[in-house]
Every structure is written in structure tokens, then in C-alpha cells.
Amino acid sequence: MTVAGGWQLERNHHRVVAARDGRIVHDQVVEDSPLRTAISDAIGKLTGPLPVEPLELGPLRRIAALAEYLRAQQPAGQTLDAEDERDLPGLAVAGEPMSVQAG
């Protein structure tokens, strides 16, 4: 986000401004990191007084099944190895490819 004067906020930062009668009464930059929000929510649920609900793994199972189906549709010799996956756009691979075990 670029604000007046041309300066930019860091990623996951948002500027909240409140004005009354043409005068700024509040000007604050807040951080909104999806990862931090998820971790904070998870910690609250795991350490809170309410029982923890079972994980909903249905979406992961559907993704795994779709991946397996698409893998089976590839012609012989046309599979990607870990080196090829690093070159795909939008795939963040650090070290070895990540696997998800649903169960």
C-alpha cells in the first residue's frame, strides 16, 4: 500500500485513519499477518477452557485424492521430480517437497 507522500507500508500492514470534521482523530498502522493470526487462534483454542474440536481433514483428503488422480493421468515418463517442482511458478519449495498425511 502506498500512502500520501509516496511512502509504502510493509507487507501485511494496514493504515487505519479516522477523521472528524476534517481533522484526523486517529491514525494507526496495524499488522495483519495471516500466519500470526492463525497461530494466535490455534494457541487460544489449544490452551483455552473449551474442548478442542476434531480436525476437519476432508479438504486435505480431497486435495490428496485429486493430486493422486492427476498424477495417474500423466503419460509414462512425464512425471515431475523435486528439481522440476522448484521451477514451477507459485510453488514455494524449501528443501524437499512437502507431503501431507491425512488420517
Side-chain angles (χ1 to χ4, degrees), residues 6-24:
W7 57 278
Q8 292 186 338
L9 296 175
E10 295 180 34
R11 184 176 182 190
N12 296 324
H13 286 73
H14 308 280
R15 184 176 182 203
V16 179
V17 178
R20 180 181 299 150
D21 299 326
R23 190 173 61 90
I24 295 177

Side-chain angles (χ1 to χ4, degrees), residues 77-95:
Q78 295 291 320
T79 60
L80 294 175
D81 62 20
E83 194 65 35
D84 293 331
E85 288 179 3
R86 287 185 182 92
D87 296 331
L88 291 175
L91 225 95
V93 177

Side-chain angles (χ1 to χ4, degrees), residues 43-90:
I43 290 171
K45 287 182 179 179
L46 291 172
T47 60
L50 300 176
V52 178
E53 296 180 20
L55 294 176
E56 172 53 55
L57 297 177
L60 288 177
R61 289 186 182 107
R62 287 191 293 279
I63 291 169
L66 178 59
E68 185 60 35
Y69 171 79
L70 292 173
R71 221 177 276 118
Q73 302 305 309
Q74 291 181 343
Q78 295 291 320
T79 60
L80 294 175
D81 62 20
E83 194 65 35
D84 293 331
E85 288 179 3
R86 287 185 182 92
D87 296 331
L88 291 175

